[in-house]
Amino acid sequence: MHCDRCILEDESRAELPLDAFLSDFLACDACTEAAAGPLALRLALDRLRQSAHSLRRTRSLLRQREKDLEAALEATAQYEARIENMERVYKQSTRELEPHVAVVEKQAETIRALSAPILEVGEGVVAMPIIGALDGERAALVTEALLARIHAQPARWVILDLTGLDEVDDTTAVAFLRVCAALRLLGARVVLCGLRSRVAQELVRLGADLSALQMLPTLRAALARCR
């Protein structure tokens, strides 16, 4: 190979893009004049060619890294766009559900009030009918309602009508006795009425201490006792 002018001596080559310069310089591998030149020149050219090869590989790697970075940035932008869209959907759904949530909360409040109704049946006498199952959650609701009522408006007597109480277990018995104990601490006397035989047998089997409570067969009898 013979060049009109060696690229190392051609100052105009300094204006070439790096890739074009490297392509021209790597062609010097077949340069007969360089191969026939002094040893020092050949060694210097060899080092330059090696450096040129290394630089080209580095540039290629950097370009690939740039492409990877661009792809990562694009993926990040798409991910952020999806997050923003999800946030908009969530906010819109929340706004749409707010009226329904308010209705459900109001209905739940109504159900709680109906599950622990307190009736004023006489002067200083309140009654609460307990219908269905008395689990731990409902027992806590009954206790809270009765204590709030007695604290706000003191009563001498509290009648617990158990006619509609379906069944009782260990948890129910403990919760029930806690209700009665809390009422006595506030100065109210507790009267139980309408206790079914099956429920009474279960309370006896569980060893519930009902000695501090007054037991009457019917609500009428309980009302007569509290006059």
Side-chain angles (χ1 to χ4, degrees), residues 73-136:
L73 290 175
E74 183 179 357
T76 301
Q78 294 176 356
Y79 179 72
E80 291 177 348
R82 288 197 296 268
I83 291 178
E84 291 178 358
N85 184 57
M86 292 174 64
E87 289 178 349
R88 287 195 298 270
V89 171
Y90 172 76
K91 291 179 180 179
Q92 179 65 27
S93 300
T94 301
R95 286 193 296 268
E96 294 176 354
L97 288 175
E98 282 177 354
H100 301 286
V101 172
V103 171
V104 171
E105 290 178 349
K106 187 174 182 179
Q107 291 175 345
E109 184 178 351
T110 302
I111 292 172
R112 286 194 296 269
L114 293 175
S115 65
I118 300 176
L119 309 175
E120 187 170 355
V121 294
E123 185 176 355
V125 183
V126 296
M128 173 180 283
I130 298 178
I131 302 173
L134 183 66
D135 55 12

Side-chain angles (χ1 to χ4, degrees), residues 115-181:
S115 65
I118 300 176
L119 309 175
E120 187 170 355
V121 294
E123 185 176 355
V125 183
V126 296
M128 173 180 283
I130 298 178
I131 302 173
L134 183 66
D135 55 12
E137 181 179 357
R138 190 179 178 202
L141 181 63
V142 168
T143 303
E144 181 182 356
L146 282 172
L147 293 182
R149 172 62 174 77
I150 301 303
H151 183 268
Q153 300 179 23
R156 295 178 294 107
W157 296 92
V158 175
I159 301 173
L160 296 178
D161 185 4
L162 308 181
T163 305
L165 183 61
D166 291 336
E167 57 185 13
V168 64
D169 55 15
D170 295 358
T171 303
T172 303
V174 172
F176 180 72
L177 294 176
R178 285 178 178 173
V179 171
C180 297

Side-chain angles (χ1 to χ4, degrees), residues 8 24 28 37 49 56 66 75 86 134 136 139 151 166 174 181 204:
L8 299 179
D24 290 348
C28 294
R49 281 192 291 269
R56 172 166 281 186
E66 288 177 355
M86 292 174 64
L134 183 66
H151 183 268
D166 291 336
V174 172
V204 171

